[in-house]
Amino acid sequence: MDEITGHKADENAVTKEEQWIQVGSNRQMQKTTEGWQLRVLWKNGTTTWEWLRNLKESNPVKVAEYAIAQGIAKEPAFAWWVPFVLRKRDRYISAVGTRYQKRTHKFGIEVPKTVMRAYEIDRETGTDFWAKAIEKEMLHVRPAFEVQDRGKSAPVGSKWIPCHMIYEVKMDFTRKARFVAGGHWTAPPLSLTYSSVVARDNVPYVFL
């Protein structure tokens, strides 16, 4: 699946008035996705309508993020499971980030956490491995940016997004740098199209 581009519900979908049911002495939400379909754009360029129950099982995080972006997360078909999936996602991301910050070396090679430290390692070891890795990565992402002069105001309608480099040592000891932009800082698109990663067009400006 490439992205989710739309949604619809038929007459079988549970309404908000029918959302809660009485089970013994307790009230609980109906756990059903009946009646809901999502329009999916596949990586081969084709588009199909798929039942929510199937996509919830195969791509729960992407579907949950789409529901939040489109303002339908409180609909009965989503409300009973979307918050749980997103909390689980956040715990996983937090755990991965913690492990990354704790890791200092791989294959006996120090893995930097900042650009400054990457250049310091090169100077200390008399090499340019990390510098070349950064240069290679920026060569690929540079066309997405318009560099502004220092002191110049940000263009109207632009949004500040945090960006950073992450580093890796591959099995052949090649150094790898990856430029990462905070896609979660961008507002949902105005169209129905949704993507869980930030597009290059959304990060067009960088200040020297």
Side-chain angles (χ1 to χ4, degrees), residues 20 49 68 91 119 123 129 145 147-148 150 153-154 157 191 199 207:
W20 294 89
W49 285 96
I68 292 293
R91 287 196 300 269
Y119 288 128
R123 287 195 296 270
F129 296 139
F145 294 90
V147 180
Q148 302 290 300
R150 184 180 295 276
S153 299
S191 66
F207 294 85

Side-chain angles (χ1 to χ4, degrees), residues 19-65:
Q19 182 174 6
W20 294 89
I21 58 175
Q22 194 75 27
V23 180
S25 59
N26 300 318
R27 290 180 73 243
Q28 66 181 36
M29 284 189 285
Q30 291 200 57
K31 296 182 178 181
T32 178
T33 58
E34 188 71 24
W36 280 82
Q37 289 181 281
L38 301 178
R39 187 173 61 213
V40 176
L41 173 63
W42 301 100
K43 292 188 181 298
N44 64 4
T46 61
T47 300
T48 60
W49 285 96
E50 303 292 335
W51 289 107
L52 172 59
R53 61 175 176 270
N54 296 328
L55 293 178
K56 171 186 172 295
E57 297 301 320
S58 60
N59 295 273
V61 173
K62 197 158 192 173
V63 173
E65 290 176 340

Side-chain angles (χ1 to χ4, degrees), residues 101-158:
Q101 290 300 324
K102 287 182 177 179
R103 188 186 67 177
T104 60
H105 290 73
K106 185 174 181 180
F107 304 130
I109 299 170
E110 182 179 350
V111 180
K113 297 296 187 293
T114 65
V115 173
M116 182 180 295
R117 183 54 189 157
Y119 288 128
E120 287 176 350
I121 294 173
D122 279 352
R123 287 195 296 270
E124 292 169 3
T125 58
T127 64
D128 60 358
F129 296 139
W130 289 116
K132 284 186 174 179
I134 293 171
E135 181 181 0
K136 181 179 179 180
E137 175 65 6
M138 293 311 297
L139 183 66
H140 290 295
V141 302
R142 178 63 182 82
F145 294 90
E146 179 181 328
V147 180
Q148 302 290 300
D149 295 331
R150 184 180 295 276
K152 185 176 180 180
S153 299
V156 176
S158 63

